[in-house]
Amino acid sequence: MTTRRDFISLLGGAAAAWPLAARAQQAAMPVIGFLSFQSPGPAAPHLSAYRRGLNEEGYIEGQNVTIEFRWAEGGADRLPDLAADLVRRRVRVIAAPGSALAALAAKAATTTIPIVFGIAEDPVKRGLVTSLARPDGNATGISFFTAELVAKQLGLLRELLPGAVRVAVLVNPADAARAASISQNVEAAARVLGLQIAVHNASTAGEIDTVFASLARERPDALLIGADPFFNSRRVQLATLAARHAIPSASGGRDWTEAGLLVSYGTSVADMFRRVGGYTGRILKGAKPADLPVEQPTKFELVINLQTAKTLGLEVPPMLIARADEVIE
């Protein structure tokens, strides 16, 4: 016969066991280290895409996987310490989408923990992998060659502005290798198109304001914003300043035209994050980075903001509208 005291003791033991069981289950979950150059707010839409990629591989945050986030909030100098912290945490895999600097910091911090990157550059040139087909080492991921798309973006500005001669280009000197790559690609394309290029540098919000103050005096015919995670996090500021100073501007990815830029051409950043999530899931299942080839984009999107064109007093050629994947009206 069970007495009231026995029943209460039984309940108490069961209640105590629940948190222990929950903690044991949590301890058994694999832990992903998510290393980002950005801040949580601007990264939120892309983070949703990353989780979607994980879900497609059967992993749901909080149910069978845990994610430890480390945000550099635009501070490149913080990345090495954040990466080292994830290594000390003994995470199963480090995801570093959106920034070559984040991926390089992770690679410098560990030679054993798998790393999945998503960058707008050639990962072989940046020293992340030895080969796209056979990455070797502990890193693999997605490479969307945005830096090589600047020639196309420049050509689109020329189509929209046939009389354009002088084009300003904005790069971030905090990532010198990326800035140099973008500048070289733009200058090569400009020679073919007969355009004059002026490169401007900015790595803080204040420096962006300073650059636009210079552009207001110089009055270039157009502006090309180089691919960069910091610029992406400041795209609303950049689009607002471009509109305020009536400078037709282009960059890569629909995020930019949705923010108000005139035209964008590039790969889907959200899709890149989703694919990084998918590779993360495959590695959690046992795949080795060396056996997962670096994936490259197969689809590029041309998006035109007709509202911005109207504000700038530009007539978009019908043939260009017909080629667009999306037109924002």
Side-chain angles (χ1 to χ4, degrees):
M1 179 176 177
T2 303
T3 66
R4 183 173 180 273
R5 179 176 294 177
D6 292 335
F7 182 67
I8 291 171
S9 298
L10 187 63
L11 277 178
W18 275 112
L20 288 173
R23 283 197 295 271
Q25 183 182 10
Q26 189 174 32
M29 285 186 196
V31 179
I32 298 166
F34 190 96
L35 181 63
S36 177
F37 180 85
Q38 294 191 358
S39 303
H46 299 151
L47 190 55
S48 297
Y50 175 77
R51 289 191 175 102
R52 190 162 61 251
L54 274 177
N55 296 349
E56 290 168 1
E57 291 296 327
Y59 289 96
I60 300 173
E61 184 183 8
Q63 292 188 20
N64 58 357
V65 72
T66 300
I67 305 177
E68 289 272 347
F69 295 97
R70 298 294 184 273
W71 305 98
E73 299 186 351
D77 57 334
R78 298 185 60 200
L79 288 167
D81 287 342
L82 295 174
D85 187 45
L86 290 174
V87 172
R88 286 192 296 271
R89 178 73 174 78
R90 296 183 181 180
V91 297
R92 284 273 299 277
V93 57
I94 296 175
S99 168
L101 292 178
L104 288 166
K107 191 167 175 65
T110 178
T111 58
T112 55
I113 297 174
I115 298 163
V116 184
F117 56 77
I119 64 171
E121 300 161 76
D122 184 342
V124 177
K125 288 182 179 178
R126 292 307 299 261
L128 286 167
V129 297
T130 56
S131 161
L132 297 181
R134 296 284 298 177
D136 203 5
N138 63 322
T140 188
I142 315 301
S143 175
F144 54 117
F145 290 105
T146 310
E148 296 182 1
L149 296 175
V150 292
K152 179 68 174 179
Q153 295 161 1
L154 200 60
L156 287 167
L157 282 173
R158 188 58 180 272
E159 284 189 69
L160 287 160
L161 302 155
V165 175
R166 298 182 305 119
V167 177
V169 180
L170 183 64
V171 297
N172 183 357
D175 189 339
R178 183 202 293 264
S181 175
I182 292 171
S183 298
Q184 290 165 9
N185 279 277
V186 172
E187 287 166 3
R191 284 194 294 271
V192 174
L193 294 169
L195 296 170
Q196 299 171 15
I197 297 298
V199 177
H200 296 261
N201 295 288
S203 56
T204 66
E207 288 176 357
I208 289 173
D209 288 333
T210 301
V211 165
F212 272 89
S214 297
L215 296 180
R217 293 189 299 270
E218 297 168 9
R219 301 308 307 167
D221 298 310
L223 168 67
L224 181 63
I225 300 171
D228 185 85
F230 171 68
F231 290 162
N232 190 270
S233 72
R234 304 299 305 177
R235 60 188 179 275
V236 173
Q237 177 192 8
L238 285 158
T240 300
L241 287 168
R244 181 181 301 162
H245 296 289
I247 304 173
S249 304
S251 194
R254 69 170 60 236
D255 289 352
W256 287 95
T257 33
E258 288 173 352
L261 238 58
L262 173 62
V263 62
S264 65
Y265 182 82
T267 57
S268 168
V269 177
D271 186 61
M272 178 274 290
F273 272 77
R274 181 188 65 80
R275 291 161 72 183
V276 169
Y279 257 21
T280 304
R282 290 176 66 179
I283 288 172
L284 289 176
K285 290 178 178 178
K288 292 180 170 56
D291 297 329
L292 295 174
V294 175
E295 291 189 348
Q296 294 176 273
T298 56
K299 187 178 187 304
F300 302 91
E301 299 176 319
L302 168 59
V303 184
I304 300 170
N305 191 317
L306 283 185
Q307 183 61 48
T308 300
K310 182 179 179 182
T311 302
L312 291 168
L314 296 176
E315 188 72 32
V316 180
M319 290 296 290
L320 188 55
I321 292 176
R323 281 162 42 204
D325 295 280
E326 183 178 344
V327 174
I328 299 173
E329 300 191 56

